[in-house]
Amino acid sequence: MASDRLVASRVVDEAGHIVPCPPSYDPSMTGFTVALWIVGLALEAILLLRGRKIGLLGQFPWFYSYMTYYFSVSLVSFIIFRLRPDLYATSYWYFYLVSLLAEFAVVLEISDHIFEPYLALRDLARFLIICICAAFFVLYVFPSLTHSHPFSTALLDFSLRVSLTKAVAILALAAAARYYRLRIGRNVAGLITGFLLYLTVYIVNFSAAEKFGRSLYANILRFLGPLGSIVCLAVWAVAMWRAESAPATGRRIGGSEGEALEELIDQVTRFDNLLSRLWRK
Amino acid sequence: MAPRGYVVIALLIVLLLVLLVREVKSDEASGLVREKQDIELWWDDKFLNLSERIFDSMDYRWLREEIGFPDLARSLARFRKKLALRWLRAFRRSLGETLLVPRHFRPGGGASHFFRRWRLLLLTLRLHIILGYATLVVYLFGPHHLTTLAFSWMRFIPESGSYKRRTGKIHLGHSR
């Protein structure tokens, strides 16, 4: 029964390749689906134009590059869907796999924005994200690729696991900021919130798609993906409407980066020596 | 995993999101900075000697073995455990304050700072690991077990060159 459902969740492109049905796949292209698509495109355009107007493009280069990519892909996918629906599923997965990489860059950008003025924590946060992603890839994502199941199922499973990895990395960043009692600015808080909402919707969507196939997509789940994206875009549009980052707490120290690093290394070394002294005793 | 499991995970993520991204109150935000005036205390020799006593089992053994007051020795160990945990918490706060000084510097010298940044990263990471480990050991076994459960890898990072140049010594203020 389950395998029948999985077969139903695949589509066959012109070259005869079996590809999994995209989460937003709606072959009948109802008015509601078109409306969702247009609202998504409009929100992406608003985000980009507003970002340009208030000068956020330079502050969040990876995020706006990702948005530009997302906008272009949405537009191209819409055209493909209208003109060559048989190519839609294949193109969707190509675009999606490229966007996975871009999303990791945005996660790193979020980290840099939270911890930017704090030299030691900035690199520590990056290291934390890289460790989390590497650990998840080795222990969670990679094993799913080695299982002998159909390519279409493997792709859905891979997407699901990568989405979960990104969600955990973002949560770890938010937890680290909380641990150090850092105020997260409105822009970055919005990015985190939108991203996590989008990822959680995709996690649910991919897991359901993998399990139930198009029998459910035909009713509710095909709207869940686009709705998740729209909620995410709306949160981003509100959060990025004004440029507003968190003020750095504590006193500020000037000088060159080398001097600042040396000074900080000396201070941390003193703490390290103090703790080591107790342990060597 | 069944979709139901992933739905639970998704709900958990949203819950954590709400808890973590909510506004940090102003008194919370200044929590780390409040300890600022105490930072110099850490380098004071008298304070350091007192701190060492917290983790030293000599008094405990003297009470229990030499003058034969095991109940009093146990009571001392319990008190020292609380004290040690508070000491470690204060240490963590002071370290946090040091790390949380915003630094705005002139740009330049990117590549030459690569190794300095790596060194700082390793030092910070190591301190966090050691502090976490020390807190766990003290919480589970008491403050007198730190020495026996210490790791030999603790000194895998060499001392800072500039610190040695400026102070002429490797360790803190005085030798034992």
Side-chain angles (χ1 to χ4, degrees), chain B residues 23-141:
Chain B
E23 183 85 1
V24 175
K25 289 175 192 160
S26 54
D27 56 331
E28 267 186 87
S30 58
L32 287 167
V33 184
R34 228 183 292 136
E35 306 287 322
K36 189 177 158 185
Q37 65 273 20
D38 300 332
I39 267 208
E40 286 308 311
L41 197 65
W42 294 100
W43 321 122
D44 181 88
D45 278 349
K46 282 180 190 164
F47 178 74
L48 283 176
N49 286 333
L50 278 173
S51 300
E52 283 179 353
R53 292 290 292 275
I54 299 173
F55 297 93
D56 191 348
S57 61
M58 204 168 66
D59 297 340
Y60 171 78
R61 277 191 277 113
W62 177 75
L63 268 174
R64 195 185 63 180
E65 289 160 15
E66 289 189 28
I67 62 170
F69 284 106
D71 289 342
L72 207 55
R74 269 196 296 278
S75 170
L76 178 74
R78 274 197 300 275
F79 179 70
R80 289 260 170 101
K81 181 179 172 177
K82 281 183 192 163
L83 213 55
L85 287 172
R86 285 179 67 180
W87 189 93
L88 286 167
R89 227 177 2 250
F91 186 90
R92 192 191 296 269
R93 270 203 297 267
S94 294
L95 174 68
E97 194 218 314
T98 303
L99 299 178
L100 280 178
V101 175
R103 283 153 214 274
H104 297 268
F105 37 77
R106 296 186 298 275
S112 64
H113 299 321
F114 178 78
F115 291 105
R116 284 192 185 122
R117 286 175 64 174
W118 255 110
R119 199 184 130 64
L120 182 60
L121 170 66
L122 287 176
L123 267 170
T124 317
L125 187 68
R126 192 178 80 136
L127 263 174
H128 278 88
I129 292 171
I130 291 172
L131 265 175
Y133 180 71
T135 307
L136 191 72
V137 168
V138 171
Y139 184 77
L140 292 176
F141 306 107

Side-chain angles (χ1 to χ4, degrees), chain A residues 107 128-129 132-133 136 140 161-175 196 199 203, chain B residues 9 13 20:
Chain A
V107 174
L128 178 75
I129 292 174
I132 287 173
C133 292
F136 265 72
Y140 181 60
R161 288 168 190 243
V162 170
S163 295
L164 193 58
T165 304
K166 277 181 287 192
V168 171
I170 295 173
L171 276 179
L173 271 182
L196 279 179
L199 288 171
I203 286 167
Chain B
I9 289 175
I13 289 172
L20 293 172

Side-chain angles (χ1 to χ4, degrees), chain A residues 219-245:
Chain A
N219 299 316
I220 301 166
L221 288 175
R222 72 172 177 226
F223 299 119
L224 203 59
L227 274 175
S229 300
I230 284 172
V231 169
C232 165
L233 286 168
V235 171
W236 282 348
V238 171
M240 307 301 266
W241 196 254
R242 287 198 311 268
E244 192 182 301
S245 51

Side-chain angles (χ1 to χ4, degrees), chain A residues 117 123 140 178-181 183 249 251-255 258 262 266-267 272 274 276-277 281, chain B residues 6 22 28 32 48 52 56 92 102-106 116-117 126 128 147 155 160 162 166 174:
Chain A
D123 288 336
Y140 181 60
R178 193 86 205 167
Y179 174 78
Y180 284 106
R181 292 162 191 180
R183 281 192 183 159
T249 52
R251 68 200 157 93
R252 287 158 186 261
I253 293 179
E262 276 299 332
D266 284 352
Q267 287 173 351
D272 184 57
L274 170 58
S276 305
R277 176 175 145 177
K281 198 171 170 294
Chain B
Y6 281 109
R22 76 193 155 90
E28 267 186 87
L32 287 167
L48 283 176
E52 283 179 353
D56 191 348
R92 192 191 296 269
R103 283 153 214 274
H104 297 268
F105 37 77
R106 296 186 298 275
R116 284 192 185 122
R117 286 175 64 174
R126 192 178 80 136
H128 278 88
T147 317
R155 303 229 55 80
S160 164
S162 65
R166 250 184 280 146
H174 69 288

Side-chain angles (χ1 to χ4, degrees), chain A residues 74-111:
Chain A
S74 301
L75 204 60
V76 171
S77 297
F78 188 70
I79 294 167
I80 289 175
F81 203 103
R82 300 299 287 187
L83 302 178
R84 294 289 304 272
D86 54 315
L87 289 179
Y88 173 70
T90 312
S91 63
Y92 172 89
W93 288 111
Y94 275 120
F95 291 145
Y96 179 77
L97 289 176
V98 175
S99 77
L100 287 184
L101 282 177
E103 284 169 7
F104 277 111
V106 177
V107 174
L108 281 175
E109 188 164 70
I110 290 172
S111 159

